[in-house]
Amino acid sequence: MSILIKNGRIIYGENLDIINADIYIEGNRIAKVGKGLKLSAEYVIDANGKVISPGFINAHTHSPMVLLRGLADDLPLMEWLQKYVWPAEKKLTSKHIYWGALLGILEMIKGGTTTFVDMYFHMEEVAKVVEKAGIRAYLSYGMVDLGDEEKRNVEIKETLRLLEFINKLDSPRIEFLFGPHAPYTCSPELLKWVRKKANETGKMITIHLSETKSEVQDIKEKYGMTPVEFLDELGFLRDDIIAAHGLWLTDKEIEILARRGVTIVHNPVSNMKLASGVMPIEKLLKAGVNIALGTDGAASNNSLDMVEEMKLAALVHKVHTLNPTIADAESIFKMATQNGARALRLNAGVIKEGALADVVIFDFNKPHLRPITNVISHMVYSANGNDVETTIVDGKIVMLDQEVLTLDEEKILEKAEEIVEKLAG
């Protein structure tokens, strides 16, 4: 397939230069960027008055949790999990997960997300949806053994089953990750097994890390170390780790994370909503830690809108530190695009020749996006996911003029309502 996008404002290259130009996509790559391209293509899109952006990379979410959106609000994390989320999840079947993933992925495509990192259960169902929808995904089964050897063996079996399933799918858009849930839910034995298998297979790892003050205290009491020190002692930390949250980090932990090349995924909305804390972003950046951006699940966000996530990521640190210069728009935009791609070792997150054609088009012909004085500022502070008009993943148009071409939106919305009504009854 070939696509020519004409007359747009392009957010170009790693430096986010704003240029007026055309983009020619051939196969799954950006083949050419330049003014007045005279090339024939199967699809020609006029982007006059529009902005062409790299697709967003949601580096931490739980896509099927959209089914639990609004289930329980205004509660601390552990009460929210133990009294509401975990009991509800026990009722979810593989069929529920399939439809939940459809709803979550539909929402992400419509908001300009082209790649996401997922951790949940019945992940084969999520993989099927990813393949159908045309989005790009890194999928992990959330492993929890709580020190129980029998449970650990079950979790290992489930993980290996997902690895085999994804390998057999052999899709260029679907990758497997190991997904130990967190240091407080996974035994040292399980974490060591994950590290060993990741080394053997070359697959990456995603994990929750230092999300709440109480979990940090629990780890200290149990092991006499902070969570990062504990993982480092196990030999777990390397540059293939994508760790979500990272709120309660000491200076020593930040130094370890930087030395080991660990990526931290910022989830500001979820962290604010659950009153978990605020990431020490200035210290992490100063240490050279790669920071990506994620929405977390829709049960604690309550949306999967990466554009909204950028705005709140930029704002929370300014008010928290009383410093308006922290978390500037360009840095936050890179977290939502380039930094996520770097974490995943993915040739995306940027518009330039040779990069994967994961591209979204924003309609700037709207009152809240005019006058167009500063494109990156508008993307972070003024836009929202509903301003995305077209989403292209791996060189294929998955949404055009706000219509998702790969999924039946009406059927998905109806089915989600039906499932939630049955679960409630």
Side-chain angles (χ1 to χ4, degrees):
M1 182 187 284
S2 56
I3 304 166
L4 181 62
I5 307 171
K6 296 186 67 67
N7 310 315
R9 277 185 176 84
I10 299 170
I11 302 172
Y12 181 76
E14 285 87 357
N15 294 329
L16 310 181
D17 298 318
I18 308 302
I19 61 171
N20 294 307
D22 305 338
I23 297 177
Y24 180 66
I25 294 167
E26 194 169 28
N28 70 342
R29 304 273 166 174
I30 296 169
K32 199 162 182 59
V33 178
K35 290 188 177 180
L37 296 181
K38 306 289 186 200
L39 296 163
S40 60
E42 292 166 68
Y43 295 91
V44 179
I45 298 171
D46 184 5
N48 187 36
K50 294 163 190 179
V51 168
I52 307 159
S53 166
F56 299 108
I57 296 172
N58 188 345
H60 178 70
T61 192
H62 312 281
S63 64
M65 286 187 86
V66 288
L67 292 175
L68 310 184
R69 194 191 326 255
L71 171 71
D73 296 318
D74 312 320
L75 295 167
L77 176 65
M78 292 319 294
E79 184 182 347
W80 174 79
L81 282 171
Q82 291 167 357
K83 290 190 178 177
Y84 297 93
V85 173
W86 288 342
E89 285 179 335
K90 282 178 183 173
K91 299 179 184 176
L92 297 178
T93 65
S94 59
K95 189 179 178 187
H96 296 147
I97 297 299
Y98 177 82
W99 286 100
L102 274 167
L103 180 60
I105 288 167
L106 174 67
E107 181 182 353
M108 284 192 273
I109 288 170
K110 289 182 78 93
T113 291
T114 51
T115 300
F116 70 103
V117 176
D118 218 24
M119 178 195 283
Y120 215 53
F121 50 92
H122 295 307
M123 291 303 289
E124 292 89 349
E125 300 303 317
V126 181
K128 290 174 194 172
V129 174
V130 170
E131 187 68 352
K132 176 186 175 75
I135 199 169
R136 196 184 300 281
Y138 290 71
L139 307 178
S140 68
Y141 169 76
M143 307 171 80
V144 174
D145 72 336
L146 301 170
D148 181 322
E149 188 179 355
E150 193 177 330
K151 172 74 170 152
R152 180 159 60 251
N153 291 333
V154 170
E155 299 298 85
I156 286 170
K157 191 177 174 184
E158 280 296 315
T159 293
L160 293 176
R161 196 157 68 94
L162 177 64
L163 173 59
E164 186 183 2
F165 184 86
I166 290 175
N167 282 342
K168 280 183 179 171
L169 266 184
D170 195 27
S171 168
R173 292 180 289 99
I174 304 174
E175 187 55 80
F176 169 88
L177 296 175
F178 287 97
H181 175 261
Y184 70 95
T185 54
C186 295
S187 65
E189 293 81 7
L190 181 56
L191 293 167
K192 283 178 183 174
W193 180 87
V194 167
R195 176 73 274 163
K196 183 171 177 285
K197 291 303 287 186
N199 292 349
E200 287 173 9
T201 60
K203 303 299 183 185
M204 300 179 73
I205 302 167
T206 187
I207 189 170
H208 296 85
L209 181 66
S210 298
E211 185 176 1
T212 66
K213 219 172 182 177
S214 61
E215 80 185 59
V216 172
Q217 195 54 43
D218 289 346
I219 293 286
K220 279 182 181 175
E221 287 172 9
K222 192 169 185 180
Y223 300 110
M225 291 176 275
T226 64
V228 173
E229 290 167 347
F230 164 63
L231 292 176
D232 201 40
E233 184 78 13
L234 290 177
F236 187 81
L237 298 178
R238 294 194 187 173
D239 63 1
D240 58 358
I241 302 272
I242 299 166
H245 303 296
L247 304 184
W248 298 96
L249 299 169
T250 65
D251 291 352
K252 182 183 176 184
E253 287 183 296
I254 290 169
E255 187 273 324
I256 293 169
L257 293 170
R259 186 158 27 96
R260 300 300 185 204
V262 173
T263 289
I264 294 290
V265 184
H266 193 13
N267 302 269
V269 177
S270 175
N271 297 156
M272 285 190 280
K273 186 162 185 278
L274 294 168
S276 298
V278 180
M279 170 195 273
I281 198 168
E282 193 173 19
K283 287 182 177 181
L284 285 161
L285 289 172
K286 195 174 278 187
V289 174
N290 185 47
I291 303 174
L293 198 65
T295 60
D296 210 346
S300 65
N301 184 299
N302 290 18
S303 84
L304 303 178
D305 187 340
M306 282 289 287
V307 188
E308 181 183 70
E309 202 75 29
M310 285 196 294
K311 179 173 184 174
L312 287 157
L315 297 182
V316 65
H317 299 287
K318 298 180 195 306
V319 70
H320 183 66
T321 59
L322 302 182
N323 181 352
T325 67
I326 285 177
D328 61 277
E330 282 200 4
S331 297
I332 296 295
F333 187 85
K334 286 179 180 179
M335 287 176 196
T337 53
Q338 294 174 34
N339 295 8
R342 186 178 303 124
L344 295 167
R345 302 165 181 175
L346 183 66
N347 183 17
V350 64
I351 292 177
K352 65 178 182 182
E353 291 86 346
L356 286 166
D358 291 2
V359 172
V360 297
I361 302 173
F362 277 75
D363 184 3
F364 265 49
N365 295 307
K366 295 183 175 183
H368 65 283
L369 295 172
R370 291 297 179 114
I372 307 177
T373 46
N374 184 324
V375 167
I376 300 298
S377 170
H378 283 15
M379 293 287 277
V380 173
Y381 294 120
S382 304
N384 62 68
N386 293 323
D387 297 320
V388 177
E389 183 181 84
T390 297
T391 301
I392 297 168
V393 184
D394 210 41
K396 295 183 177 62
I397 300 169
V398 293
M399 181 173 78
L400 184 65
D401 296 328
Q402 297 194 316
E403 181 189 351
V404 177
L405 307 178
T406 53
L407 301 174
D408 185 337
E409 183 169 349
E410 191 178 334
K411 187 177 179 181
I412 292 166
L413 299 184
E414 281 177 12
K415 195 70 183 177
E417 287 296 331
E418 184 186 306
I419 287 168
V420 171
E421 279 174 23
K422 281 182 182 173
L423 289 172

